[in-house]
Amino acid sequence: MKKLSLNLSSLIIIILFFISFSYSDENNIIKGKAIVVDGDTIKIKGKQIRFGGIDAPESYYRGKKQTCIEDNKKVFCGQISKEKLIEKIGNNSVNCKIEKNKDKYKRSVGECFIKEESLSVFMVRNGYAFDWPRYSKKKFANDQEYAKLNKLGLWNMQFEYPWEWRKKIKGNK
């Protein structure tokens, strides 16, 4: 009887573990149609999701738009990055795996996918966003190196990394 009770208790613990694991996993997924806020931020069902580990030029930050130089002309590279993400997502549904912690602006942070393709990898590998070593642990470094070697996207322009550009903007206010 004692052995049966122990086995039953063990079974109940295992079942509860799997239920809580699958429930918490479901809570970490946001799915749906995305509205693109920036080249590294989207909104699904009213929730803003910042792509973790990457950084894209700013389309609008503290009243300013980030510019780059292409063929000796200023271009709004934040807007270019945003438009590339809009084009990539199109009318597809997006699935985001949300991290436990939010960013300093209280946004959810995660990696988002169309089918099995990571939007973060797409943006960095095509040169419209950067691996942000401060947060990425170099997760996207190989994708960035590919874009850099092939002069894709922003790597075909003169640019400032978005985190450096923002720091300058903050200093001017």
Side-chain angles (χ1 to χ4, degrees):
M1 189 68 170
K2 215 176 194 182
K3 195 172 186 180
L4 179 62
S5 178
L6 185 60
N7 285 340
L8 192 54
S9 295
S10 297
L11 184 62
I12 290 170
I13 290 170
I14 290 169
I15 290 170
L16 288 174
F17 173 77
F18 281 111
I19 289 171
S20 69
F21 181 74
S22 64
Y23 177 74
S24 67
D25 205 38
E26 266 179 36
N27 284 342
N28 293 341
I29 301 288
I30 298 175
K31 301 176 184 182
K33 295 289 180 193
I35 297 168
V36 175
V37 176
D38 221 339
D40 56 21
T41 307
I42 61 174
K43 195 180 277 192
I44 298 177
K45 298 177 184 170
K47 291 187 179 183
Q48 270 206 352
I49 303 156
R50 173 75 163 75
F51 297 171
I54 73 168
D55 201 8
E58 297 293 340
S59 59
Y60 188 82
Y61 178 78
R62 295 186 176 212
K64 299 194 182 299
K65 297 177 181 184
Q66 187 171 350
T67 59
C68 299
I69 306 294
E70 182 179 35
D71 298 327
N72 294 316
K73 287 185 259 173
K74 275 188 180 182
V75 295
F76 293 110
C77 47
Q79 189 62 35
I80 292 169
S81 178
K82 179 179 177 176
E83 287 170 5
K84 189 53 71 174
L85 185 57
I86 289 169
E87 180 185 309
K88 176 63 180 171
I89 292 173
N91 206 24
N92 292 296
S93 182
V94 177
N95 299 322
C96 300
K97 175 87 169 101
I98 304 301
E99 296 175 12
K100 192 175 183 178
N101 298 321
K102 294 184 183 259
D103 72 2
K104 66 181 180 179
Y105 301 106
K106 305 289 185 235
R107 296 177 294 192
S108 295
V109 177
E111 188 165 2
C112 299
F113 302 84
I114 294 176
K115 297 180 177 108
E116 301 298 314
E117 182 181 9
S118 165
L119 293 173
S120 297
V121 169
F122 171 82
M123 291 299 286
V124 174
R125 190 166 184 82
N126 287 284
Y128 294 101
F130 303 99
D131 177 74
W132 195 357
R134 180 177 177 185
Y135 298 104
S136 71
K137 298 178 184 152
K138 298 188 178 190
K139 179 177 181 178
F140 306 101
N142 290 337
D143 299 304
Q144 180 167 292
E145 191 58 29
Y146 176 86
K148 185 177 179 179
L149 287 172
N150 291 287
K151 296 186 186 310
L152 300 176
L154 303 170
W155 293 101
N156 195 32
M157 306 177 195
Q158 292 175 13
F159 65 84
E160 285 181 275
Y161 288 110
W163 54 89
E164 292 173 356
W165 183 82
R166 283 191 303 273
K167 194 182 290 184
K168 281 180 22 183
I169 297 302
K170 282 181 189 176
N172 290 338
K173 286 249 171 176

